[in-house]
Amino acid sequence: MSICFNNEAKQFYLHTRSASYVMEIYEGCLAHIHWGARINQAPLLDELFPHYVGGGFCASDLPGRITDSTDILPQEYPSFGSADLREPAIQVRFETGDGLIRFRYHSHRIYNGKPAPEGLPSAYGTEDEWETLEITLLDEFTGLKAVLNYSIFYEQDLLARSAKIINSGALSCELQQAASFAMDFHDDRFDVIHLPGSWGRERHIQRTSLDHTSIRLDSKRGSSSHNQNPFLALVRPETTETAGDAYGFCLVYSGSFMAGAFCEQFHTTRVQMGIHPHNFSLRLTPGEAFQTPEALLVYSGKGLGEMSRKFHRVIRKNLCRGNYRDTARPVLINNWEATYFNFDEEKILTLAEKARKIGVDLMVLDDGWFGKRDNDNCSLGDWVPNLRKLPSGLDGLAKKVNAMGMQFGLWFEPEMISPDSDLYRAHPDWCIHTPGRPRTEGRQQLILDLAKPEVCDYIINTLCGILGSCSISYVKWDMNRNMAEVPYAGHGHRYMLGLYRVLETITGKFPHILFESCSGGGGRFDAGMLHYMPQTWTSDDSDAVERLYIQEGTSLVYPTSTMGAHVSAVPNHQVGRITPLDMRSKVAFMGRYGLELDLNKLQEAELDKLKEEITFYKAYQQLIHCGDFYRLASPYHSNRAAYQIISEDKNTVMVFLFNVTGIPHMCADRIHLQGLDPDGVYVDIDTDKAHDGSALMYVGIPSDNRRDMLSTVRIFKKQ
Ligand code: GLA
């Protein structure tokens, strides 16, 4: 058993391969003792607090104990109710007007497997892979319960936490906040790593010393957003890629969220994450319950790299689903940056034919194929093909593309409605709005109110109708604005539940279709969406240099298998930068490879080069997406970047070397490989030269730094 309860010590132990998580029932409170390197037995909490600390301004709600105040006690799901005046995980307003909760241990159970939070995305797996501890806390004054869920995934030192709040009392209440988890670390010697950004520059790595203060990361935008990702890591100041403690937290949710690390007077750190309490409120009448989203918690004692690889393995195999989870995916060409709205059937077929000749498998038709949409002013919601542009309709076009030997894919923005659309004229009340207030548009569009079941049903029926009517192998599911004028507090979460129902139904009905989510690029790149769609368009910014930053930031949590990455034209449409085709292609190798440019404008030599690149990518895509990813050198710290992917059997190693800006008159850099067998012999497949594993790791390989925008891929096979 990896989870056990020591009845005498009243301690819970959750052991994974190299970590332990320990809690103690202390005067009925659920206290946190340890999460980190694996231990056999923890001291009792009283032994860890040998002298009295309270007094002062800490009220004594645990009289007679050394730790006589919950204001000092390290806790697992703190509430506002008596002495603990730190950040609460849960806030409630009862009919009586008060908001006091005093949770105490009520019961627990331990079982194999892992429950799936109803209606929400979550990690999954077999009964052998997961084991669960469920602890019920009760406030005896109101009957409010919190059922805390701890599911462990032994192999990857991963813990999935969530909470179910049950009103088992006689009074109704407004639930104003319910974090997915909370936890108190004993000290605050941490750096916080998070992924802020904006459109076109998503998920840039930020590392900040906690320094006895508090850091709150959030999105109040109705989606996980470009601006912050629902992820944070706490690391020791000395933690590096390869050494030191790293605690990673990732919320499996796509709506507004809040994540925080809060330092307190005794230099402790409370970390928590969940649905954003801002504008959140939910009525719980007696007997009703609320389920929080799930959070994934990973511990690594070997630095950030190992933390990321643990997240990658679980997200790849135990969060993403569907036919494409493990199989190779088609190399695609998307017409967006090639034509924007200015296309017709002939242009698309010419592009497809050129693409087919160089090995592309899938032609994706982006925005502009429906209604009267020639720009972004109209027609969202009118999912009827524009016969002026596509005279043989979707079916005719799909058949022609198929006849070339290619698959056909289509762009949708199903959650949106243009005020200038037949759908809006028929259902002006279907968009998110508050009666009597303006309907603020973003990109000239409004959002369909997925909190309304009839709107969800409409989307399901419309999409299923189109997807069933012709041969569509791929869908790009876009979402291009944030929410405004939401009609009531708690609406955002109802919207997400509606969206998840729509996604579950549609993806379930069309398992052969590869779905890619998108939100103006990576505005909804989160573990929630990845549960339904195994890849996300990483960013609208396809510039190779910017992508190094974005993809490295994304790789802190999400595997290469989830990142859409395309080769686009130069000068780049977002930043105007000119980068060599070779570099654009090598950067795109580290994701789900595709093209997004007008092939008619390329020289023959460039087309030949792309053909070679696609052949190479196809030969190695399983290695790239199923292997272990290492960050060897970071563009955040220097003018270069280097990454490594090693196959699961450890026999094939792929190394990516990039030099962004050249340094004149300088010796070559050395890049040190990682995770090899030190006694193994590795042969470079280009030169046939054998290398000693330990030398590749500890002496390193040279990386040319003399010129701008250099890129090299080297492959080593173990003999
Ligand atoms: C968003 C997407 C782009 C493209 C356009 C179409 O911005 O991120 O890739 O699909 O919409 O309007």
Side-chain angles (χ1 to χ4, degrees):
M1 287 285 269
S2 306
I3 301 182
C4 58
F5 179 59
N6 179 333
N7 198 22
E8 208 179 312
K10 297 277 179 276
Q11 288 181 330
F12 294 100
Y13 287 85
L14 295 87
H15 295 298
T16 52
R17 177 166 289 288
S18 40
S20 297
Y21 193 102
V22 187
M23 297 170 276
E24 181 176 319
I25 304 171
Y26 187 87
E27 284 298 310
C29 300
L30 188 61
H32 180 83
I33 295 211
H34 170 76
W35 183 34
R38 197 167 162 138
I39 58 166
N40 298 319
Q41 204 187 338
L44 291 171
L45 203 75
D46 271 342
E47 297 172 66
L48 290 166
F49 285 83
H51 59 270
Y52 178 78
V53 183
F57 270 72
C58 298
S60 309
D61 55 352
L62 304 172
R65 298 300 296 247
I66 296 177
T67 308
D68 82 342
S69 174
T70 51
D71 210 12
I72 301 162
L73 195 72
Q75 298 193 64
E76 284 290 303
Y77 205 70
S79 60
F80 171 75
S82 47
D84 188 353
L85 299 177
R86 296 171 288 175
E87 194 74 22
I90 176 169
Q91 295 192 63
V92 167
R93 181 76 47 215
F94 292 99
E95 272 177 25
T96 46
D98 78 275
L100 307 182
I101 308 169
R102 187 178 173 276
F103 277 140
R104 293 291 182 268
Y105 168 85
H106 175 264
S107 56
H108 75 268
R109 67 187 185 110
I110 296 169
Y111 55 92
N112 287 337
K114 170 182 183 299
E118 207 188 319
L120 289 165
S122 61
Y124 63 91
T126 63
E127 297 222 328
D128 294 339
E129 288 171 323
W130 293 93
E131 199 177 334
T132 296
L133 163 66
E134 200 181 274
I135 302 177
T136 301
L137 307 179
L138 169 71
D139 173 28
E140 61 179 358
F141 301 95
T142 60
L144 197 74
K145 280 182 179 163
V147 181
L148 307 184
N149 221 88
Y150 299 80
S151 297
I152 54 166
F153 193 92
Y154 186 88
E155 280 306 317
Q156 305 304 340
D157 296 314
L158 182 129
L159 175 64
R161 281 193 61 181
S162 64
K164 188 173 191 169
I165 311 303
I166 304 172
N167 184 358
S168 60
L171 295 178
S172 289
C173 63
E174 290 291 329
L175 184 62
Q176 298 172 328
Q177 178 183 7
S180 293
F181 78 91
M183 174 193 315
D184 285 333
F185 286 95
H186 182 67
D187 66 293
D188 65 355
R189 216 175 50 79
F190 286 115
D191 288 351
V192 174
I193 296 178
H194 61 112
L195 299 171
S198 184
W199 175 87
R201 53 178 165 83
E202 298 90 334
R203 294 174 299 286
H204 276 220
I205 300 174
Q206 187 74 38
R207 181 168 177 161
T208 315
S209 165
L210 201 45
D211 222 1
H212 312 316
T213 175
S214 295
I215 291 185
R216 194 184 297 261
L217 318 168
D218 73 348
S219 160
K220 301 188 216 53
R221 296 170 178 272
S223 65
S224 50
S225 91
H226 299 88
N227 309 66
Q228 282 289 352
N229 195 261
F231 160 79
L232 93 102
L234 288 181
V235 300
R236 295 299 179 186
E238 65 274 12
T239 297
T240 63
E241 270 295 304
T242 51
D245 284 342
Y247 301 87
F249 307 91
C250 161
L251 193 65
V252 188
Y253 192 60
S254 317
S256 299
F257 73 93
M258 198 262 277
F262 309 104
C263 292
E264 291 290 342
Q265 57 179 329
F266 301 112
H267 293 195
T268 56
T269 304
R270 174 163 291 174
V271 57
Q272 67 182 48
M273 209 173 209
I275 293 179
H276 207 306
H278 165 80
N279 207 29
F280 175 81
S281 179
L282 203 109
R283 193 167 175 74
L284 290 183
T285 56
E288 283 190 319
F290 173 75
Q291 171 66 57
T292 73
E294 179 169 289
L296 304 178
L297 286 60
V298 162
Y299 167 74
S300 157
K302 293 183 185 159
L304 276 167
E306 188 60 25
M307 176 202 78
S308 297
R309 287 186 287 281
K310 288 174 178 178
F311 272 128
H312 294 175
R313 291 182 204 120
V314 171
I315 289 176
R316 228 165 42 215
K317 291 190 176 158
N318 297 87
L319 181 90
C320 292
R321 299 175 298 170
N323 291 5
Y324 282 97
R325 190 189 70 169
D326 304 318
T327 56
R329 297 182 201 162
V331 169
L332 64 82
I333 181 158
N334 180 304
N335 74 307
W336 180 240
E337 288 195 15
T339 68
Y340 295 103
F341 291 104
N342 182 18
F343 64 84
D344 57 18
E345 182 185 283
E346 201 187 318
K347 261 197 188 174
I348 297 301
L349 289 174
T350 311
L351 190 60
E353 179 55 24
K354 283 233 158 188
R356 183 193 63 79
K357 286 197 180 133
I358 58 171
V360 173
D361 309 299
L362 167 71
M363 175 73 229
V364 178
L365 180 56
D366 209 278
D367 194 356
W369 58 266
F370 50 91
K372 55 181 175 98
R373 191 160 164 99
D374 287 326
N375 52 45
D376 54 18
N377 279 332
C378 66
S379 299
L380 293 171
D382 296 345
W383 302 110
V384 179
N386 178 331
L387 295 180
R388 179 177 48 82
K389 289 182 182 176
L390 308 176
S392 38
L394 281 180
D395 185 41
L397 176 58
K399 281 190 175 130
K400 287 177 192 173
V401 171
N402 288 166
M404 289 177 181
M406 286 178 90
Q407 299 168 10
F408 178 65
L410 204 55
W411 178 95
F412 289 93
E413 202 178 349
E415 297 159 68
M416 295 293 151
I417 182 166
S418 305
D420 181 5
S421 68
D422 292 341
L423 185 68
Y424 190 77
R425 284 180 279 276
H427 298 285
D429 56 332
W430 272 12
C431 66
I432 294 180
H433 69 285
T434 297
R437 291 194 177 263
R439 300 178 174 201
T440 304
E441 294 172 20
R443 205 191 186 198
Q444 296 80 247
Q445 60 199 55
L446 297 164
I447 308 182
L448 282 170
D449 192 351
L450 274 72
K452 294 185 168 142
E454 66 275 21
V455 174
C456 294
D457 292 341
Y458 159 80
I459 295 176
I460 290 171
N461 293 335
T462 310
L463 267 276
C464 288
I466 300 170
L467 299 181
S469 71
C470 57
S471 142
I472 293 173
S473 310
Y474 163 101
V475 165
K476 178 174 171 188
W477 184 294
D478 211 340
M479 199 277 189
N480 279 320
R481 62 161 292 183
N482 293 148
M483 291 180 189
E485 289 110 23
V486 294
Y488 51 87
H491 172 273
H493 183 59
R494 285 193 201 278
Y495 181 98
M496 293 318 305
L497 292 178
L499 174 64
Y500 290 144
R501 173 167 79 87
V502 168
L503 297 180
E504 181 73 25
T505 311
I506 296 178
T507 55
K509 272 200 178 158
F510 297 93
H512 66 282
I513 294 182
L514 170 61
F515 286 84
E516 174 158 358
S517 82
C518 173
S519 177
R524 219 163 46 179
F525 201 132
D526 57 64
M529 293 307 284
L530 290 173
H531 187 60
Y532 305 94
M533 309 189 179
Q535 63 191 60
T536 300
W537 179 225
T538 310
S539 175
D540 273 347
D541 196 330
S542 52
D543 169 62
V545 176
E546 176 58 37
R547 274 298 184 113
L548 286 175
Y549 292 88
I550 295 175
Q551 292 178 194
E552 176 162 324
T554 309
S555 81
L556 278 191
V557 203
Y558 310 100
T560 55
S561 60
T562 62
M563 296 185 217
H566 299 173
V567 176
S568 62
V570 288
N572 174 266
H573 291 196
Q574 291 77 38
V575 295
R577 190 177 282 131
I578 295 177
T579 50
L581 184 56
D582 191 48
M583 179 170 182
R584 279 176 273 153
S585 182
K586 300 291 188 287
V587 172
F589 275 174
M590 293 184 296
R592 290 294 176 185
Y593 191 89
L595 308 180
E596 182 138 352
L597 73 176
D598 188 353
L599 296 179
N600 299 303
K601 294 191 178 141
L602 296 193
Q603 311 284 331
E604 276 309 310
E606 291 174 308
L607 289 170
D608 290 345
K609 166 77 179 158
L610 273 180
K611 187 173 180 182
E612 258 176 48
E613 294 287 295
I614 291 171
T615 309
F616 180 86
Y617 172 77
K618 285 185 177 175
Y620 289 100
Q621 83 150 301
Q622 283 305 84
L623 163 68
I624 294 171
H625 299 304
C626 303
D628 274 338
F629 185 79
Y630 290 77
R631 293 176 291 265
L632 306 179
S634 169
Y636 288 93
H637 302 139
S638 68
N639 62 323
R640 61 186 182 175
Y643 307 96
Q644 174 196 319
I645 297 172
I646 182 163
S647 58
E648 268 179 309
D649 64 11
K650 307 264 179 233
N651 287 339
T652 313
V653 185
M654 198 167 186
V655 183
F656 297 82
L657 305 169
F658 300 101
N659 196 67
V660 179
T661 49
I663 311 174
H665 201 228
M666 183 50 126
C667 304
D669 287 323
R670 294 251 183 101
I671 298 294
H672 300 263
L673 308 199
Q674 293 177 30
L676 310 188
D677 170 3
D679 300 319
V681 174
Y682 293 83
V683 176
D684 182 323
I685 65 161
D686 283 330
T687 61
D688 256 352
K689 192 169 171 349
H691 298 264
D692 171 56
S694 56
L696 288 172
M697 291 195 287
Y698 310 131
V699 180
I701 58 173
S703 175
D704 193 349
N705 55 15
R706 290 165 301 169
R707 295 266 183 279
D708 288 355
M709 317 282 179
L710 296 177
S711 51
T712 314
V713 172
R714 292 182 66 179
I715 294 175
F716 300 90
K717 294 224 175 203
K718 192 174 169 196
Q719 262 184 348

